[in-house]
Amino acid sequence: MVAARAAALGAEADAVAIKYTTIALLSALAGILAYFASSSYGDYNALPRVMLAVSFAIFFAIFLISILLGELSILLFIFALYHLFFFLLPGMIHMARNIFPFYEVSFEYSTTLPVSGLVLLYSVSTFLGICIGLSKRQAAAAPDQIPARKIRNKDLFLGAMLLLAISIPCIAVSGIHVSRLADSSYDDSPLGLILSSLPSSAMFLCAISTFYLMRRNSFPSIFLFAITATIALLVNFPLSLTRFVMFQRIIALTYMIVDLSRVRLKVCLAVVAVVSIFTVFPTIDYFARGDTSASLDINPLKYIAESGDLDGLQSTLNVYEMVQSKGLSWGWQFLGALLSYVPRDIWPQKAYPTGVSAAEFAGYSFTNLSAPLISEIYVDFGAVGLALIPVLVGWFIISLDRRAASMGREQGHILEKFFYGGLIGYETIILRGSLIAIISHIYLYGGLIGMLSFVCRPRRRRIEPLPQRSIKEHALT
């Protein structure tokens, strides 16, 4: 018996070793292929591209781990996907050409080399944090072992009606648009952001709430879902939303309905996601911008080499040059994101989005640029921050992803599914930045879930006092 058990454990250890060896070999191959793919565009910045290729291999390993581990949902999956195909691969091609998408600018080797080193430091630190998170052998609690938070149908109905009630006045003020170009007077004040963003998020959550009520298969609940879903679709019309909001809705909805921890499903999702990045994204951008005068010509290679959508490394280079000139912000940018809803009239010194500040420093006339997480960390805390903070980020993602997988398999945790669905959906734009520019949307979504949580909170049962016993009865006991 002991020998058989030892043999079984040995076989299991061998299988694990083979799996991770295969991941390491495939990741190294992916890094090499990415380097030579970028070399076909030019021969600039060879050593910086080698560093980026190593980072690509690291994140490819993270990508494979996120797919193969059934204990994880797709938080880690999206984290790796963004860095591979939105940040590293386009950045390597831009470096090889030494032509970056916005204004076709070039950077000196004295900038590209240290920035590539910082990216590698960020990649290694993140991988270390992920390994620490995965090393905790205790598996996430099974869904049936997590105490379900029982929500009464009437409380969920009350919450849905409250979301509907606060949406209608905002819709009356801001109107319903079918294109991003329909409203040319964009108001980025806290009140303006609430009026423009609240109906979209509130009606999305309202429709999902009534969807759960509809499962009772009664005519009133089906009719209510049809009404709220129609309004939600109107205020979330795909061409009127920025892409990060639109895909947040799609990803969150998918998570709430489908168990995304299944390995086969994640493999299919990986194929669809990679293909969509270079086909669906540019197509949606073509129609959403409203400029249909030119013929629809989607060229994935041209898109990845020239599109401003993939400006992550260029923005990081801009931030690096700004920091070299002005110095670190020492947490000021993070504080601005944390207190994003404080009006600038009250706090005139409030920080501007990192991407905007870096673009203005670079002299660009168009300043609505991204600021990836690496640049947000660097602008505040420098290289030391990139060595330490990503470790915490990697560990935190693993912890949340395990919890999201458990909640995704459980049908009873409605509010928790709302929360993790929103977090997964907003992950890409958090990674892309700038945080100050987008964090208000996330605050608003989280606030609505908090309101639902308050309305649907468990009611305490009234404890009836026990009848008093006579002295004689006490004596008998």
Side-chain angles (χ1 to χ4, degrees), residues 86 94 101-102 307-316 369-370 432:
F86 285 91
H94 299 158
F102 280 108
S307 174
D309 294 336
L310 308 174
D311 67 323
L313 188 59
Q314 180 177 3
S315 297
T316 303
L369 270 63
S370 66
R432 185 178 186 271

Side-chain angles (χ1 to χ4, degrees), residues 320-441:
Y320 173 81
E321 291 189 337
M322 180 179 69
V323 170
Q324 294 307 301
S325 176
K326 295 185 175 181
L328 297 175
S329 299
W330 298 112
W332 192 252
Q333 295 297 121
F334 175 76
L335 183 64
L338 188 66
L339 303 176
S340 64
Y341 269 119
V342 178
R344 201 168 293 277
D345 293 338
I346 298 176
W347 185 17
Q349 295 81 20
K350 186 171 75 168
Y352 286 91
T354 303
V356 172
S357 298
E360 290 178 347
F361 174 82
Y364 300 162
S365 60
F366 178 78
T367 59
N368 187 24
L369 270 63
S370 66
L373 183 61
I374 178 175
S375 62
E376 292 281 13
I377 296 173
Y378 180 73
V379 75
D380 273 333
F381 306 109
V384 174
L386 288 176
L388 299 177
I389 295 176
V391 177
L392 300 176
V393 171
W395 171 81
F396 189 59
I397 286 176
I398 293 297
S399 302
L400 286 177
D401 213 2
R402 281 174 167 158
R403 185 72 176 178
S406 296
M407 293 301 178
R409 290 189 293 265
E410 172 60 46
Q411 296 299 318
H413 299 268
I414 297 175
L415 297 182
E416 288 84 353
K417 288 166 80 74
F418 286 177
F419 171 76
Y420 285 106
L423 183 63
I424 291 171
Y426 280 123
E427 184 179 13
T428 299
I429 192 58
I430 293 174
L431 295 173
R432 185 178 186 271
S434 301
L435 286 179
I436 293 177
I438 55 89
I439 199 72
S440 57
H441 296 273

Side-chain angles (χ1 to χ4, degrees), residues 194-223:
I194 291 175
L195 290 175
S196 61
S197 304
L198 190 146
S200 174
S201 296
M203 287 309 306
F204 173 74
L205 291 172
C206 179
I208 299 299
S209 299
T210 56
F211 170 79
Y212 279 100
L213 291 172
M214 187 187 67
R215 293 185 302 175
R216 298 171 58 191
N217 293 323
S218 63
F219 176 77
S221 61
I222 295 174
F223 179 75

